Amino acid sequence: NFLLEKCLSNLTRLNSDKDVLKDTVSLILSFADSKEKCSNVCLNAGLMTILQLAVQPNSLPSTCKRDLIKALVLVGSAQEEESNREQYWNQVLNPLGDRYKSIVENPALKQIYMDESVRSAVIDLLESFTGVVQGCKASTVHQLYGWLSPTVSSMVHLLALYHNYNQVVELILELYCEIARRILCYFTPSVSKAFYEASLALIKTYSDGQIGKRSFSKEAEEEQYRDILLFMELLTNLLSKDFIDLSPPESQETENTVTASDVCLYGLNIIMPLMSEELLKFPSLCLQYFKFITFLCEIFPNKVTELQADLQQSLVNSLHLGLTAPGLDTVFSCCCDFIQVLGFYMVKNNKRDTPIYEQMRTFLKLYLDLILSNQINSDLLPNSSAALYVLICLYKETYEQLVQMLVQSQEEGNRQRLLDAFSELTTNIPFTAERIHRIRFRDAFDKFIVKVRGFLFVK
């Protein structure tokens, strides 16, 4: 009782002090970290006073709403009786839903949406909805998201309205990311499909808002970086649904379901034009992007070969950038994995009727140049050797031509030594790209590097 009264006092009288507010909300959140604590808190009248304060507009700074609503939702999860739980959640959720409807269903919204009071109310609600998602558990996700689902779908229209107001844009994207990260794996096929469609609409709406927008300010570039980083996180989390699916079976929905990979490929098609060389200079965005495309390729290499030719070329161009960017070892490793996985798929299935087959041919010379000119960190040589071996399997004739060019570019005394080293590199190694042969090639590659780096000069 004392702790809840103290929390209420801090929330009402000391809410201008950010540190006090943060500590107070953290304390309330700690009440919800076990079923026993939740049960005791539910019996206290002070909880209902805090609840009423939390759902009122402008009662507290929006920055604390997320964790406070999360705590209140978690407390409700401890209610043993479903009717009591439903009644409690209605006191948390219904006021939020009513406030949201009063804003989005206002006929004059397009005229007043930039008013400070309206914008603040929208931000407050987005923080609160994110708290609801963070408060979901496996046992409560269907009940809570059933209430939240219509609101999530309608936020596409809110994004279109506020596409120039970065704080609102980021909060909407964060909400979608939280849903995909925390609770998507529990969704039934029908609910998943609805969320996929909403996610696609969200990405398309954001992309439409960026068309024709030109800005050379550092602030605008950083804002777009944060937005696209959130989209990449969203797509990566959507993709995980295809192999982490904890949803209850729905026997009537086995056909015509949209897969997460389809959504991610379409989303990549929309986002790719927004990616620029300047944006990829942000390390966290660069890493998230390459992790995503590598993840996608590892799970569905066949779908990468079916992409449109211009999108495949964009992927190849970005891989070139990742392989040559200085100091980004994790990115380099991701690029090697992408090339190795996709190359193995094309070798195994004799897949040559796709534009990316020819587009990837340039990687063979790039790898040889990087390896032989000592531009690759020694820790990354195993990744490089695996990618190089798969490329040799794909383009054996091109490899032989490049070897001849490299040999001819050397001084007279080194030509035969280099030719012998290249011959030993592939001796008795079949070009089938199988794992056992990749390992044998790696061992031969290590010996090759030791031999040639002492005398080789690449023009």
Side-chain angles (χ1 to χ4, degrees), residues 210-280:
Q210 300 301 306
I211 293 176
K213 186 183 285 187
R214 293 289 183 272
S215 178
F216 300 97
S217 70
K218 185 176 178 63
E219 291 77 10
E221 189 176 77
E222 289 179 354
E223 287 176 359
Q224 189 178 38
Y225 142 71
R226 289 193 296 271
D227 295 345
I228 297 180
L229 178 59
L230 287 169
F231 273 123
M232 285 296 167
E233 290 178 5
L234 173 62
L235 292 176
T236 304
N237 289 322
L238 286 175
L239 194 57
S240 66
K241 171 67 173 178
D242 273 2
F243 62 92
I244 304 178
D245 191 349
L246 306 177
S247 63
E250 287 188 353
S251 58
Q252 296 180 355
E253 297 187 50
T254 57
E255 298 181 359
N256 300 323
T257 56
V258 179
T259 65
S261 59
D262 294 332
V263 180
C264 291
L265 289 168
Y266 184 76
L268 182 64
N269 194 41
I270 293 174
I271 285 179
M272 186 63 83
L274 302 176
M275 300 295 291
S276 65
E277 186 173 339
E278 291 301 313
L279 283 175
L280 285 174

Side-chain angles (χ1 to χ4, degrees), residues 89-105:
W89 275 340
N90 284 341
Q91 295 180 73
V92 179
L93 304 177
N94 288 348
L96 297 177
D98 293 341
R99 284 169 51 200
Y100 181 77
K101 287 180 181 178
S102 69
I103 293 174
V104 297
E105 294 178 1

Side-chain angles (χ1 to χ4, degrees), residues 64-108:
C64 77
K65 284 294 184 73
R66 184 179 301 193
D67 283 343
L68 187 55
I69 295 294
K70 173 185 176 181
L72 293 171
V73 170
L74 285 171
V75 167
S77 303
Q79 297 277 1
E80 295 287 350
E81 296 291 332
E82 185 174 346
S83 58
N84 292 340
R85 187 165 63 239
E86 187 76 27
Q87 183 180 1
Y88 171 84
W89 275 340
N90 284 341
Q91 295 180 73
V92 179
L93 304 177
N94 288 348
L96 297 177
D98 293 341
R99 284 169 51 200
Y100 181 77
K101 287 180 181 178
S102 69
I103 293 174
V104 297
E105 294 178 1
N106 188 336

